[in-house]
Amino acid sequence: SRNAMSSTMMADWGGLSPFRPSGIRSYAKTAEGFLGQNPAAQTLLQEAKTGGLFRATFNQQEINNLAEGFVKSPEQNGMLRLLDGMSQAFSKVGEKVGHPTRLYGAVDHFFKGALYVHGRTELGMAPNVALRYAKKYGIDYQDISPAVRLLREFPFGAPFATFASKAIPLAIET
């Protein structure tokens, strides 16, 4: 839940709000793209993947589960639809995988995908600009400083050091 809330907040800082029509469209297109129901969105997501957006922990099945719940949700509010999607994804992942880190990665990738789709379709960005935009507001956990990597990997270290090292400067900038 914390991951989804912080991802929603940071996407909103970048202009992708689940409470605006453009944000709802972008989240819906992303979910449909991951489900294979929107060929144009699928193409954009493949473009993003080719550009390296999903390199950290990409797992298509978990993202499909998340997206399916989002698309099937009867809720009109984008945030409630997202929570329905997370609930469905968590249930499916728990049944099949039993490991929450995969769900965590799926949430990250869903938001990065939505930011990329939003940048390309709603903001008219070129692919390379949309990649930077999605990585900035969606946090690329592979792009970290050596000091943060040491903190993250140190026994009994700080597992959320990466998030803090990315989110704090972004909050100040915003």
Side-chain angles (χ1 to χ4, degrees):
S1 294
R2 186 217 49 86
N3 189 27
M5 287 187 295
S6 62
S7 293
T8 301
M9 176 186 68
M10 291 186 344
D12 188 43
W13 290 349
L16 175 58
S17 172
F19 304 110
R20 292 188 187 130
S22 64
I24 293 168
R25 282 191 304 270
S26 295
Y27 282 122
K29 284 178 193 173
T30 303
E32 292 167 351
F34 280 123
L35 288 171
Q37 297 174 349
N38 183 328
Q42 265 186 297
T43 300
L44 289 173
L45 292 169
Q46 184 58 45
E47 183 180 275
K49 183 178 180 182
T50 301
L53 187 61
F54 305 120
R55 65 184 177 178
T57 57
F58 183 76
N59 188 307
Q60 185 65 47
Q61 186 56 48
E62 281 73 33
I63 293 176
N64 284 346
N65 293 340
L66 177 63
E68 182 181 342
F70 180 84
V71 170
K72 289 182 177 179
S73 174
E75 297 293 337
Q76 294 300 311
N77 180 287
M79 180 60 77
L80 294 177
R81 287 175 65 107
L82 180 63
L83 291 174
D84 278 353
M86 289 178 55
S87 176
Q88 179 172 332
F90 184 73
S91 296
K92 287 186 177 186
V93 170
E95 290 169 9
K96 294 181 182 178
V97 180
H99 203 284
T101 58
R102 291 194 178 183
L103 176 61
Y104 190 89
V107 170
D108 283 345
H109 291 305
F110 178 78
F111 279 95
K112 284 190 227 178
L115 282 157
Y116 185 83
V117 168
H118 186 70
R120 295 284 282 130
T121 62
E122 299 289 334
L123 303 177
M125 294 176 173
N128 61 333
V129 177
L131 279 170
R132 284 195 311 268
Y133 168 72
K135 287 179 181 181
K136 177 178 181 177
Y137 292 101
I139 296 185
D140 183 349
Y141 285 92
Q142 295 298 312
D143 180 25
I144 58 174
S145 71
V148 172
R149 186 176 311 280
L150 180 67
L151 276 175
R152 188 170 72 179
E153 294 172 356
F154 193 73
F156 306 110
F160 297 107
T162 304
F163 175 79
S165 75
K166 300 286 187 162
I168 292 170
L170 190 58
I172 293 167
E173 178 185 328
T174 301

